[in-house]
Amino acid sequence: MFNIVLFGPPGSGKGTQSVRLADKYHLVHLSTGDMLRREIAHETPLGKAAKEIMDRGELVSDEIVIGMIEKQIEGNPEAQGFIFDGFPRTTVQANALDNLLAKFASKIDVTLSLEVNNEELVKRLLQRGKESGREDDRNEDVISNRIVEYQNKTAPLVDYYREAGKYRSVWGMDGIEKLFQLLCEQIEKTG
Ligand code: AMP
């Protein structure tokens, strides 16, 4: 198995790039944000509880997202590998992911971090809010909260993966095509 974590703040391009990378390298794309939005669309109890938290731009509980990821890994025994998009977002989640993969005699091979500055992130998210109708992309206060959550809870994972020798930083400001090319180069160096 070849497993990638796509890492970066909201609006850095993780979703767009994950879809393309999953297609090119035959990986299963797992986005906890997409899973949560599906729960909301189906009006499940989990979705209802998550919506309030997501609408404020905060992180939902580790327990919920770890449970969703566990179900997906167990449900894809034929997978050649996974691309994790928007997960892990806390150290607890990163530890849980390592333990889960270890159960399948697997591991994270590389963490690719998309580097985009805050001004550009806000611009992109507001634009996406107009196009996609995602509620958490429409309000500048919610966007700021998500960036603060990222800085406080997710950015510390840089050290977690750097210490494991798995962290690669990739410049994400030069457009979708260029970023895709840089990500592929990193993957091919690792694989
Ligand atoms: P995303 O689509 O990845 O930007 O996620 C949208 C929202 O879903 C986030 O702002 C969080 O509220 C929630 N979310 C997604 N993934 C996670 C995660 N791994 N841990 C906690 N909350 C998450």
Side-chain angles (χ1 to χ4, degrees):
M1 274 218 272
F2 188 78
N3 300 306
I4 304 171
V5 170
L6 215 56
F7 189 80
S12 56
K14 298 188 298 295
T16 308
Q17 298 294 334
S18 291
V19 171
R20 298 184 63 167
L21 293 171
D23 183 47
K24 177 162 176 169
Y25 295 105
H26 311 292
L27 304 171
V28 175
H29 173 207
L30 298 182
S31 156
T32 40
D34 287 349
M35 292 173 208
L36 289 165
R37 283 184 287 276
R38 277 197 290 274
E39 297 284 340
I40 293 173
H42 289 110
E43 298 181 353
T44 64
L46 191 157
K48 283 180 191 156
K51 186 176 185 321
E52 281 185 30
I53 300 166
M54 290 164 75
D55 284 348
R56 290 199 297 269
E58 293 166 11
L59 294 186
V60 308
S61 77
D62 288 331
E63 205 188 345
I64 288 180
V65 287
I66 291 167
M68 294 192 313
I69 287 284
E70 183 169 17
K71 208 166 136 194
Q72 291 296 323
I73 295 178
E74 285 174 356
N76 281 284
E78 308 292 321
Q80 294 178 34
F82 295 96
I83 179 156
F84 297 95
D85 160 14
F87 181 94
R89 263 172 152 108
T90 64
T91 318
V92 171
Q93 293 177 24
N95 273 309
L97 180 58
D98 284 345
N99 293 336
L100 265 172
L101 290 171
K103 276 207 257 172
F104 297 88
S106 191
K107 61 174 178 10
I108 293 299
D109 290 284
V110 69
T111 296
L112 301 169
S113 174
L114 280 45
E115 306 299 334
V116 175
N117 69 37
N118 280 2
E119 194 187 333
E120 173 72 13
L121 294 175
V122 175
K123 202 174 95 189
R124 287 188 192 177
L125 290 170
L126 287 170
Q127 184 58 32
R128 191 172 70 185
K130 284 186 200 147
E131 288 161 5
S132 77
R134 252 182 76 168
E135 282 186 31
D136 57 347
D137 285 342
R138 288 197 192 167
N139 177 317
E140 218 164 325
D141 290 337
V142 175
I143 290 176
S144 299
N145 260 350
R146 286 156 68 199
I147 296 174
V148 169
E149 285 281 79
Y150 175 80
Q151 277 154 355
N152 290 341
K153 298 181 181 162
T154 309
L157 288 184
V158 170
D159 288 338
Y160 182 90
Y161 287 115
R162 197 175 264 147
E163 277 159 25
K166 293 176 178 174
Y167 184 79
R168 307 281 179 276
S169 180
V170 182
W171 188 243
M173 295 279 292
D174 290 334
I176 294 174
E177 288 307 323
K178 180 68 188 170
L179 176 55
F180 184 63
Q181 183 200 327
L182 295 174
L183 292 169
C184 292
E185 279 170 21
Q186 287 296 334
I187 291 169
E188 279 153 39
K189 266 193 225 164
T190 312

